[in-house]
Amino acid sequence: MKLKFFSLCSGSSGNCFYLGTSSYGILIDSGIGIRSVRKILRERGISIESVLAVFVTHDHADHIRSVGNISGQFNIPVYTTSVIHEGIRRNYCATREVPPANRRYLVKGEPVQVRDFVITPFEIPHDGTDNVGYHIECDGTVFCFITDIGHITPTVCQYTSQAQYLILEANYDEKM
């Protein structure tokens, strides 16, 4: 199975990544406007309707800005921990709340399956309310997504050492 991965945006102004097959895919975070998400996907030949889920790493605005809009308008489930879901609900930067029926609750270390994707959330250090990285397996290929990481921990090492593809986003802080 051929997989497609690309960054729609990465940085303080917004984060959003796509991982998919020839027929469907998932988003990791949705920190840019819904129009931008749709436009970038369309330019890549991908319909927003083929997105099966959004997996959220943490509740900072640059990772969640349009997650409620995407979920509500297109009936797309949003997967993350209960603490992060609560943080999204309280965050003034989220332009719309994730509909309760579309909330999917993850537990760190416990994998979930969305079609051919097996996604395992794991703890990462950051200053958000709760923070997860994602270990994603699909057809024998392993991706590891880590955003806004503060430092490397044994848990991070455990998951990244299994990955063939590592997506790492971090800010430099000399003291850390």
Side-chain angles (χ1 to χ4, degrees), residues 76-93:
I76 297 174
V78 175
Y79 289 78
T80 197
T81 68
S82 61
V83 174
I84 297 171
H85 268 301
E86 180 59 23
I88 293 169
R89 194 187 64 70
R90 287 184 284 111
N91 193 310
Y92 70 94
C93 291

Side-chain angles (χ1 to χ4, degrees), residues 158-170:
Q158 173 193 339
Y159 285 101
T160 58
S161 67
Q162 300 170 39
Q164 291 145 319
Y165 297 95
L166 174 61
I167 297 82
L168 178 68
E169 190 240 359

Side-chain angles (χ1 to χ4, degrees), residues 16 32 37 42-43 92-93 103 114 127 131 133:
C16 186
I32 58 176
V37 171
R42 190 172 43 249
E43 289 171 353
Y92 70 94
C93 291
R103 295 178 196 157
V114 176
D127 64 355
N131 309 282

Side-chain angles (χ1 to χ4, degrees), residues 24-100:
Y24 55 84
I26 60 174
L27 294 177
I28 308 296
D29 291 332
S30 186
I32 58 176
I34 190 170
R35 280 184 259 161
S36 295
V37 171
R38 292 183 72 190
K39 178 181 181 284
I40 295 166
L41 289 176
R42 190 172 43 249
E43 289 171 353
R44 301 282 186 123
I46 299 165
S47 164
I48 188 89
E49 288 81 11
S50 70
V51 173
L52 302 177
V54 180
F55 285 81
V56 177
T57 60
H58 62 287
D59 63 357
H60 286 169
D62 59 325
H63 293 263
I64 64 164
R65 188 166 287 117
S66 69
V67 73
N69 283 331
I70 287 173
S71 179
Q73 279 188 270
F74 299 100
N75 197 31
I76 297 174
V78 175
Y79 289 78
T80 197
T81 68
S82 61
V83 174
I84 297 171
H85 268 301
E86 180 59 23
I88 293 169
R89 194 187 64 70
R90 287 184 284 111
N91 193 310
Y92 70 94
C93 291
T95 54
R96 182 175 173 186
E97 197 171 307
V98 175

